[in-house]
Each structure stands twice: as C-alpha cells, then as structure tokens.
Amino acid sequence: MSAGTAVATAPVLELADVQASIGVSHILQGVSFTAPANAVTVVLGRNGVGKTTTLRAILGLVQRSGSIRFLGEQIEHVETSRIVRRGVAYVPEDRDVFRRLSVLENLKLAERKASPHRYDLVYDLFGELKTRSRQAAGSLSGGQQQMLSLARGLLNDNALMLIDEPTKGLAPKVVGDVVKVLERAREISTIVMVEQNLAVARRLADHVVVMSEGRVVIEGERDLLDDDNRMRRLLGLEAGGKGH
Amino acid sequence: MDSVLLLGFTGLSVGALYFLLASGLSLVFGLMHVLSFAHGAYLSVCAYAAWIILDAWGTEGRTGWELVLACVIATVVGGLVAFLTELLLLRPLYKRDNLDQLLVTLGLSFVIVAVLRGIWGPEEHQISLPEWVKQTTAMGGANIPNDRFIIIGAAVLVFVLLQLILRRTRHGTIVRAGVENRDMVRALGIDVRQSFTLVFTLGGMAAGLAGALGAMYLRAVQPAIGDQFILFAFIVLIVGGLGSLSGALVAAVVVGLVQQFANFYIGSGAGDVITVALMAVMLLVRPQGLFGRTERVA
C-alpha cells in the first residue's frame, strides 16, 4: 500500500474513551480513534500530550480504562504479554534494547512460539545485525539499536505494530534507512506510529491522529498533513522550519 | 603470615555464605523489585533440616556423604519453601504495591522463626559433623579448618551454576532481560511471572545451601541463625549492586574479608561497624552499587 491511498477495510484497533494515569497525573482523558487495517496511522502532537502513554495503554503497560478493541476483541483487561501474543509488536521510544544481552539474545527473546520467525527478512533488512550478533546490544550506536528494536518487532507475524518515535535522535542518513524499513514493514502489518518528524509522517501516513492535552483533537486521512501551518501550530513547531 | 592466611580463608568463607544468601536476594530484587526478608528464615529452616539429618545419622559410620546429603536436602527444602511462598503468598500480591510483598516476607520470617522456636526451643543445638570437616589443613604455616574449603567451593559452584542458568537457558535470558527492563520483556509477549517463580525458588535453594553450610560453620543451629547472615547479605546486595550476581560475589568477598580483618586487628565488633559504614558510603557515593545500573525513571 502506498501513502495517501484511501483506507476502506475494517479497523484493526479501536480506542473509545481511553483514560490512563501515571501516579497522580491523569495523562489520557478520553482518547478515541481507530486504526484501519493495512494502513499506517500516525499519531502526532506536542510533547507531553499523551502519545507514548496511548501506545503503552493499548499494551496495558499503564493502568487504563475505557474500551480497546483489537481485531474485534476487547483487550482493556488483558495482561500485556497475552495482548502481544495475539499479534502485536511494540517498538518503544528510546529503543529499549536489553543492553547487557547480545544482539542475537535480544532477537531470540522476541521469538514467539505461535509465529513463524522471519530471520530472513530481518537479516535482509539489517545485515549488520547478523555480523554483530554476539555484540552486546548496549555497545551498538543509536541507529543500530533502533534497527534491533525494529527487528524484534518484525521477527514475528503481527497484525499490528505499535512504533514510538522511530526516528527520534537519529542522524538524517539513518532516518532515511529507518523510513525504508518502515515502508517494508507496512507491507506485512498494520502500523500505529507516534512520529514528530513531519516529513517522515507525510511519507508514511495513511491515517492521521492529532492529540492535544490527553485527547484526540483531529482524526482523518493523510491529506490533513498538507496544511503545513496548521500542523506546525498543532505540533508546536516554528513556521518555516525544516519540516521536522 | 599464618594469621593473615587464616583470616583470609575465614573471611572468604563468611563472604561465601553472604554470597549464597545475597545471590538469591539480588536476582529476586532485580527481577521482581521485592526485597525479601524471608530468605534469612529459609536459611534457618534449612539449617535445622541439615541438623536433623546429621543428628539422625549418629556418630557411627561417618563417611562425609551424610554432609553432602544434608546439603542437598537443605537446598531442596529451601527451594520448596521459597516456591510455596511465591505461589501462595506473593503471587496474589503482584498487582499491589511492592511494599505489601516486602511486608509479607518480613511477616513470614517472624512466623518461621517462631515456629522453629516453638518446636525445638530457643536454645542452640550442637551439630555433629564428620571428623575430617573439623580437622585442619596446613597451608603456608597456617592451619586452615577444612570447612572453609567446603563453603568457598560450594559458593563458587553455585556462582558457576547460576551463571550457566542465566547465560545458557531461555529462562535465564528472560531473567537477565527482566532485571534490565521488566516492562519490555512483557512487551515481547513473555509472561514474566513464570520467571518470578524460578528466581524466587533458586534464591530459596541458595539460601537453603547457606543454611546447611552456615550450621556447619557455626557448629550449631538456633532459630534466629538466619538473622546473623541476612543483615550482611543486604549489605552485600547494596554494595554489589541490586540485580547483579557478579556484584554480589565481589561485594561478598570484600565484606567478608573486611569484617574478619577489622575484627582481628582493630577489635571485636569493628568489622561489623566498618561494613555498615561501607554500605553507607556506597549509598552516598555510588547508590547503584559496584555493578548495578542507574535506576530507570521513565
């Protein structure tokens, strides 16, 4: 599927009035949106509006309430590991590779019994991971760690990939490599992705969700991103910047 | 030179006992974020198990295998008690605050000591050991009690076995990963609670072995025998770094040696004061310990 095409299939993920708190902070205050199948849904918003918490709430990594449906089944009371085993991959912000484990151990840990393991795809996309398989993941560069984090997500057959700021803090060349990987990933899985880089969002998005103060304020198709001034205002970016 | 050697071996063997207790505590805290006070009581239970076996054996026909049997049974008992604790007392509390789990282990330790006292009384019971364990081996002018070699050897064996489990098995990899980032392990589809059981049981087994060896070292058992070791095991845990097995090993050696040499050269009790001071300094200067990692905030 290419960016900008119309999305007409049943949603893979549906959130309705999802609330979440971390400590005493009420972060999500009624988040509702749908993620269409075989599409990339990009979640945007200023820092601190609850984008990362939304992904973590879907997975049950924070206490949440409201309705979360994945492939038509309610999952808001399901434990994290069970949600993942139903076919969800999570690529977190800041990579979260296991630094003391080797690259191969990180990948082996991601293997799920009920799923075929796509080592061919992973090593095709990230050949460096094969040559560095015995290296401690903590000694990899930021870009390599991002590749490993994405590789863990791509290793299994997933109906949904939740990807949190995959280009954050990466050099422009590496951002390009990550985008190529994501373009490959969209061919095999529905994606919900938090992304602050407008250029990357425009390249990948089929569906757009904009958040503000713990709620979804705009939801629609990719052409929402074409209104540059409006998007920059919503994202708290300076007008006439580099599109990032 | 002979006193230095004797103090060195005694310090290493005391450190080995601290390590056996601290290794389990370290993994339990690293993965489960639970500071278990029950492991000291497991040590007491298993010291009694070893005493019962050696006492039942009698003094005739001693070969040394009865000591091995006592150690094996103490290890199994420690694992079993820890397994049941995790299954029946801790598992229902995983959704609650970690403080609740800590309080349960503290309460359990009181109960266990009270039960031991109720059954066998508060007094010490001398432990009957094979003759060769009580004998010494001449080395560099010093006569080193043979039990020191047994304790040090057992701790090294446990360290190697734990390393093999942690590095060569999938469960071990899950434990190592969980110590780093438990949420991410769950986010890979792994039910980390199964690893809680494994880690708590392994910790109980190590404490059980420490019970048998501690009874051998002290030549006696009494209900609060575990209390003599648990405080210093916590010091080892903090100095070595919570969740680090290698850190626990290094810290146990340091604490054991410092304690013995200070007690001998400065005065009785000085070693305890210095090791507590060492812990305080570590908390101020390097709160994550020698081998620990800085705690993730988000």
Side-chain angles (χ1 to χ4, degrees), chain A residues 171-228:
Chain A
K173 160 76 173 67
V174 184
V175 169
D177 293 341
V178 168
V179 169
K180 283 178 193 163
V181 169
L182 294 172
E183 283 175 336
R184 186 80 178 269
R186 68 185 302 159
E187 295 169 4
I188 55 175
S189 176
T190 298
I191 294 174
V192 173
M193 180 173 75
V194 170
E195 182 54 69
Q196 288 290 77
N197 185 323
L198 262 182
V200 172
R202 285 184 177 122
R203 189 158 160 190
L204 293 168
D206 298 301
H207 190 72
V208 176
V209 171
V210 181
M211 291 182 65
S212 178
E213 296 178 354
R215 291 187 179 88
V216 173
V217 289
I218 301 173
E219 182 179 2
E221 296 199 5
R222 187 219 165 272
D223 52 12
L224 280 172
L225 296 174
D226 293 338
D227 187 343
D228 197 58

Coordinates of all heavy atoms in Angstrom, one line a residue, chain A residues 171-228:
Chain A
A171 N 20.5 10.4 13.1 CA 21.1 11.2 12.0 C 20.3 11.1 10.8 O 19.6 10.1 10.5 CB 22.6 10.7 11.7
P172 N 20.3 12.2 9.9 CA 19.4 12.2 8.7 C 19.6 11.0 7.8 O 18.6 10.4 7.3 CB 19.8 13.5 8.0 CG 20.4 14.4 9.0 CD 21.0 13.5 10.1
K173 N 20.8 10.5 7.7 CA 21.0 9.3 6.8 C 20.3 8.1 7.5 O 19.7 7.3 6.7 CB 22.6 9.1 6.8 CG 23.0 7.7 6.4 CD 22.8 7.5 4.9 CE 23.4 6.1 4.4 NZ 22.8 5.0 4.9
V174 N 20.4 8.0 8.8 CA 19.8 6.8 9.5 C 18.3 6.9 9.4 O 17.6 5.9 9.3 CB 20.3 6.7 10.9 CG1 19.8 5.5 11.6 CG2 21.8 6.7 11.0
V175 N 17.8 8.2 9.5 CA 16.3 8.4 9.4 C 15.8 7.8 8.1 O 14.8 7.1 8.0 CB 16.0 9.9 9.5 CG1 14.5 10.1 9.1 CG2 16.3 10.4 10.9
G176 N 16.6 8.1 7.0 CA 16.2 7.5 5.7 C 16.2 6.0 5.7 O 15.3 5.4 5.1
D177 N 17.2 5.4 6.4 CA 17.2 3.9 6.4 C 16.0 3.4 7.2 O 15.4 2.4 6.8 CB 18.5 3.5 7.1 CG 19.7 3.8 6.3 OD1 19.6 4.0 5.1 OD2 20.8 3.8 6.9
V178 N 15.7 4.1 8.3 CA 14.5 3.7 9.1 C 13.2 3.8 8.3 O 12.4 2.9 8.3 CB 14.5 4.5 10.4 CG1 13.1 4.3 11.1 CG2 15.6 4.2 11.3
V179 N 13.1 4.8 7.6 CA 11.9 5.0 6.7 C 11.8 3.9 5.7 O 10.7 3.4 5.5 CB 11.9 6.4 6.1 CG1 10.8 6.5 5.0 CG2 11.7 7.5 7.1
K180 N 12.9 3.5 5.1 CA 12.8 2.4 4.2 C 12.3 1.1 4.8 O 11.6 0.3 4.3 CB 14.2 2.2 3.6 CG 14.6 3.2 2.5 CD 16.0 2.9 2.0 CE 16.5 4.1 1.2 NZ 17.9 4.1 1.0
V181 N 12.8 0.9 6.0 CA 12.4 -0.3 6.8 C 10.9 -0.2 7.1 O 10.1 -1.2 6.9 CB 13.2 -0.4 8.1 CG1 12.6 -1.5 9.0 CG2 14.6 -0.8 7.8
L182 N 10.4 1.0 7.5 CA 9.0 1.1 7.8 C 8.1 0.9 6.6 O 7.0 0.4 6.6 CB 8.8 2.5 8.4 CG 9.4 2.7 9.8 CD1 9.3 4.1 10.3 CD2 8.8 1.8 10.8
E183 N 8.7 1.3 5.4 CA 7.9 1.1 4.2 C 7.8 -0.4 3.9 O 6.8 -0.8 3.4 CB 8.6 1.9 3.0 CG 8.3 3.4 3.1 CD 9.0 4.2 2.0 OE1 10.1 3.7 1.6 OE2 8.6 5.3 1.7
R184 N 8.8 -1.1 4.2 CA 8.7 -2.6 4.1 C 7.8 -3.2 5.1 O 7.0 -4.1 4.8 CB 10.1 -3.1 4.3 CG 10.3 -4.6 4.0 CD 10.4 -4.9 2.5 NE 10.6 -6.3 2.3 CZ 11.8 -6.9 2.2 NH1 12.9 -6.2 2.3 NH2 11.9 -8.2 2.0
A185 N 7.8 -2.6 6.4 CA 7.0 -3.1 7.5 C 5.5 -3.0 7.1 O 4.7 -3.8 7.5 CB 7.4 -2.4 8.8
R186 N 5.2 -1.9 6.5 CA 3.7 -1.6 6.2 C 3.2 -2.6 5.2 O 1.9 -2.8 5.2 CB 3.6 -0.2 5.6 CG 4.2 0.0 4.3 CD 4.1 1.4 3.8 NE 2.8 1.9 3.7 CZ 2.5 3.2 3.7 NH1 3.4 4.1 3.8 NH2 1.2 3.5 3.7
E187 N 4.0 -3.3 4.5 CA 3.6 -4.3 3.6 C 3.1 -5.6 4.3 O 2.3 -6.4 3.8 CB 4.7 -4.7 2.6 CG 5.1 -3.6 1.7 CD 6.3 -3.9 0.9 OE1 6.8 -5.0 1.0 OE2 6.8 -3.0 0.2
I188 N 3.5 -5.8 5.5 CA 3.2 -7.0 6.2 C 2.4 -6.8 7.5 O 2.0 -7.7 8.1 CB 4.5 -7.8 6.6 CG1 5.5 -6.9 7.4 CG2 5.1 -8.4 5.3 CD1 6.7 -7.7 7.9
S189 N 2.2 -5.5 7.9 CA 1.5 -5.3 9.2 C 0.8 -3.9 9.2 O 1.3 -3.0 8.5 CB 2.5 -5.4 10.3 OG 1.8 -5.1 11.5
T190 N -0.3 -3.9 9.9 CA -0.9 -2.6 10.2 C 0.0 -1.9 11.2 O 0.6 -2.5 12.1 CB -2.3 -2.7 10.8 OG1 -3.1 -3.4 9.8 CG2 -2.9 -1.4 11.2
I191 N 0.2 -0.5 11.1 CA 1.1 0.2 11.9 C 0.4 1.4 12.6 O -0.4 2.1 11.9 CB 2.3 0.7 11.1 CG1 3.2 -0.5 10.6 CG2 3.2 1.6 12.0 CD1 4.3 -0.1 9.7
V192 N 0.6 1.5 13.9 CA 0.2 2.7 14.6 C 1.5 3.3 15.1 O 2.3 2.7 15.8 CB -0.7 2.5 15.8 CG1 -0.9 3.8 16.6 CG2 -2.1 2.0 15.3
M193 N 1.9 4.5 14.6 CA 3.2 5.1 14.9 C 3.1 6.5 15.4 O 2.4 7.3 14.9 CB 4.0 5.1 13.6 CG 5.4 5.6 13.7 SD 6.3 5.4 12.1 CE 5.5 6.6 11.1
V194 N 3.8 6.7 16.5 CA 4.0 8.1 17.0 C 5.1 8.7 16.3 O 6.2 8.0 16.2 CB 4.2 8.1 18.6 CG1 4.6 9.5 19.0 CG2 3.0 7.6 19.3
E195 N 5.0 9.8 15.7 CA 6.1 10.4 14.9 C 6.0 11.9 15.0 O 5.0 12.5 14.7 CB 6.1 9.9 13.5 CG 7.2 10.4 12.6 CD 8.6 10.2 13.2 OE1 9.0 9.0 13.3 OE2 9.3 11.1 13.7
Q196 N 7.1 12.6 15.4 CA 7.1 14.0 15.5 C 7.7 14.7 14.2 O 7.6 15.9 14.0 CB 8.0 14.5 16.7 CG 7.3 14.2 18.0 CD 6.1 15.2 18.2 OE1 5.0 15.0 17.7 NE2 6.3 16.2 19.0
N197 N 8.4 13.8 13.4 CA 9.1 14.3 12.2 C 8.0 14.4 11.1 O 7.5 13.4 10.6 CB 10.2 13.4 11.8 CG 11.0 13.9 10.6 OD1 10.4 14.5 9.7 ND2 12.3 13.7 10.7
L198 N 7.6 15.6 10.7 CA 6.5 15.8 9.8 C 6.8 15.2 8.4 O 6.0 14.7 7.8 CB 6.2 17.3 9.6 CG 5.0 17.9 10.4 CD1 4.9 19.4 10.1 CD2 3.8 17.1 10.1
A199 N 8.1 15.3 8.0 CA 8.5 14.8 6.7 C 8.3 13.3 6.7 O 7.8 12.7 5.7 CB 9.9 15.2 6.4
V200 N 8.7 12.6 7.7 CA 8.5 11.2 7.8 C 7.0 10.8 7.9 O 6.6 9.9 7.2 CB 9.3 10.6 9.1 CG1 8.9 9.2 9.3 CG2 10.8 10.9 8.9
A201 N 6.3 11.6 8.7 CA 4.8 11.4 8.8 C 4.2 11.5 7.4 O 3.3 10.6 7.1 CB 4.2 12.3 9.8
R202 N 4.5 12.5 6.7 CA 3.9 12.7 5.3 C 4.3 11.5 4.4 O 3.4 11.2 3.6 CB 4.4 14.0 4.8 CG 3.8 15.2 5.4 CD 4.2 16.5 4.7 NE 3.5 17.6 5.3 CZ 4.1 18.7 5.9 NH1 5.4 18.7 5.9 NH2 3.4 19.7 6.4
R203 N 5.4 11.0 4.6 CA 5.9 9.9 3.7 C 5.1 8.6 3.9 O 4.9 7.8 3.0 CB 7.4 9.8 3.8 CG 8.0 8.8 2.8 CD 9.4 9.1 2.6 NE 10.1 7.9 2.0 CZ 11.4 7.8 1.9 NH1 12.2 8.7 2.3 NH2 11.9 6.7 1.3
L204 N 4.8 8.4 5.2 CA 4.3 7.1 5.6 C 2.8 7.0 5.9 O 2.2 6.0 5.8 CB 5.0 6.6 6.9 CG 6.5 6.3 6.7 CD1 7.2 6.1 8.0 CD2 6.7 5.0 5.8
A205 N 2.2 8.2 6.3 CA 0.9 8.1 6.8 C -0.2 7.8 5.8 O -0.2 8.3 4.7 CB 0.5 9.4 7.5
D206 N -1.1 7.0 6.2 CA -2.4 6.8 5.5 C -3.5 7.5 6.3 O -4.5 7.9 5.8 CB -2.8 5.3 5.4 CG -1.7 4.6 4.6 OD1 -1.5 4.9 3.4 OD2 -1.1 3.6 5.2
H207 N -3.3 7.4 7.6 CA -4.4 7.9 8.5 C -3.7 8.7 9.6 O -2.6 8.4 10.0 CB -5.0 6.6 9.1 CG -6.3 6.9 9.9 ND1 -7.4 7.3 9.4 CD2 -6.5 6.9 11.3 CE1 -8.4 7.5 10.3 NE2 -7.8 7.2 11.5
V208 N -4.3 9.8 10.0 CA -3.6 10.7 10.9 C -4.5 11.0 12.2 O -5.7 11.1 12.1 CB -3.4 12.1 10.2 CG1 -2.8 13.1 11.2 CG2 -2.5 11.9 9.0
V209 N -3.8 10.9 13.3 CA -4.5 11.3 14.6 C -3.6 12.3 15.3 O -2.4 12.2 15.4 CB -4.5 10.0 15.5 CG1 -5.0 10.4 16.9 CG2 -5.4 8.9 14.9
V210 N -4.3 13.5 15.6 CA -3.5 14.5 16.3 C -4.1 14.6 17.7 O -5.3 14.7 17.9 CB -3.7 15.9 15.6 CG1 -2.9 17.0 16.3 CG2 -3.2 15.8 14.1
M211 N -3.2 14.6 18.7 CA -3.6 14.7 20.1 C -3.2 16.0 20.7 O -2.2 16.7 20.3 CB -2.9 13.6 20.9 CG -3.4 12.2 20.5 SD -2.6 10.9 21.5 CE -3.2 11.3 23.1
S212 N -4.0 16.4 21.7 CA -3.7 17.6 22.5 C -4.3 17.4 23.9 O -5.4 17.0 24.0 CB -4.3 18.8 21.8 OG -4.0 20.0 22.6
E213 N -3.5 17.6 24.9 CA -3.9 17.6 26.3 C -4.7 16.3 26.6 O -5.8 16.3 27.2 CB -4.8 18.8 26.6 CG -4.0 20.1 26.5 CD -4.8 21.3 26.8 OE1 -6.0 21.2 27.0 OE2 -4.2 22.4 26.8
G214 N -4.1 15.2 26.2 CA -4.7 13.9 26.6 C -5.9 13.4 25.8 O -6.6 12.5 26.2
R215 N -6.2 14.1 24.7 CA -7.3 13.8 23.9 C -7.0 13.8 22.4 O -6.0 14.5 22.0 CB -8.5 14.7 24.1 CG -9.1 14.7 25.4 CD -10.4 15.6 25.5 NE -11.0 15.5 26.8 CZ -10.7 16.3 27.8 NH1 -9.8 17.2 27.6 NH2 -11.4 16.2 28.9
V216 N -7.8 13.2 21.6 CA -7.6 13.3 20.1 C -8.4 14.5 19.7 O -9.6 14.6 19.9 CB -8.1 12.0 19.4 CG1 -8.1 12.2 17.9 CG2 -7.3 10.8 19.8
V217 N -7.7 15.4 19.0 CA -8.4 16.6 18.5 C -8.7 16.6 17.0 O -9.6 17.3 16.6 CB -7.6 17.9 18.9 CG1 -7.7 18.2 20.4 CG2 -6.2 17.8 18.4
I218 N -8.0 15.8 16.3 CA -8.2 15.7 14.9 C -7.9 14.3 14.5 O -6.9 13.7 14.9 CB -7.3 16.6 14.0 CG1 -7.5 18.1 14.4 CG2 -7.5 16.5 12.5 CD1 -6.5 19.0 13.7
E219 N -8.8 13.7 13.6 CA -8.5 12.4 13.1 C -9.0 12.4 11.6 O -10.1 12.9 11.3 CB -9.3 11.3 13.9 CG -9.0 9.9 13.3 CD -9.7 8.8 14.1 OE1 -10.4 9.1 15.1 OE2 -9.5 7.6 13.7
G220 N -8.2 11.9 10.8 CA -8.6 11.9 9.4 C -7.6 11.2 8.5 O -6.6 10.6 9.0
E221 N -7.7 11.5 7.2 CA -6.7 10.8 6.3 C -5.5 11.7 6.0 O -5.4 12.8 6.6 CB -7.5 10.5 5.0 CG -8.6 9.5 5.2 CD -9.0 8.8 4.0 OE1 -8.4 9.0 2.9 OE2 -10.0 8.0 4.1
R222 N -4.6 11.2 5.3 CA -3.3 11.8 5.1 C -3.2 13.2 4.7 O -2.4 14.0 5.1 CB -2.5 10.9 4.1 CG -1.0 11.3 4.1 CD -0.5 11.2 2.7 NE 0.8 11.9 2.5 CZ 0.9 13.2 2.3 NH1 -0.1 13.9 2.2 NH2 2.1 13.7 2.2
D223 N -4.2 13.6 3.9 CA -4.2 15.0 3.4 C -4.3 16.1 4.5 O -4.0 17.2 4.2 CB -5.2 15.2 2.3 CG -6.6 14.8 2.8 OD1 -6.8 14.6 4.0 OD2 -7.5 14.7 1.9
L224 N -4.6 15.6 5.7 CA -4.6 16.6 6.8 C -3.2 17.2 7.0 O -3.0 18.3 7.4 CB -5.0 15.9 8.1 CG -6.4 15.6 8.4 CD1 -6.6 14.8 9.6 CD2 -7.2 17.0 8.7
L225 N -2.2 16.4 6.7 CA -0.8 16.8 6.9 C -0.4 17.9 5.9 O 0.7 18.5 6.0 CB 0.1 15.6 6.8 CG -0.1 14.5 7.8 CD1 0.8 13.3 7.5 CD2 0.3 15.1 9.2
D226 N -1.2 18.1 4.8 CA -0.8 19.0 3.8 C -0.9 20.5 4.2 O -0.3 21.4 3.6 CB -1.6 18.8 2.5 CG -1.3 17.4 1.9 OD1 -0.2 16.9 2.2 OD2 -2.1 16.9 1.1
D227 N -1.8 20.7 5.2 CA -1.9 22.1 5.8 C -0.8 22.3 6.7 O -0.8 22.1 7.9 CB -3.3 22.2 6.5 CG -3.6 23.6 6.9 OD1 -2.6 24.4 6.9 OD2 -4.7 23.9 7.2
D228 N 0.3 22.8 6.1 CA 1.6 22.9 6.8 C 1.5 23.9 8.1 O 1.9 23.5 9.2 CB 2.7 23.5 5.9 CG 4.0 23.2 6.4 OD1 4.3 22.0 6.7 OD2 4.8 24.2 6.7

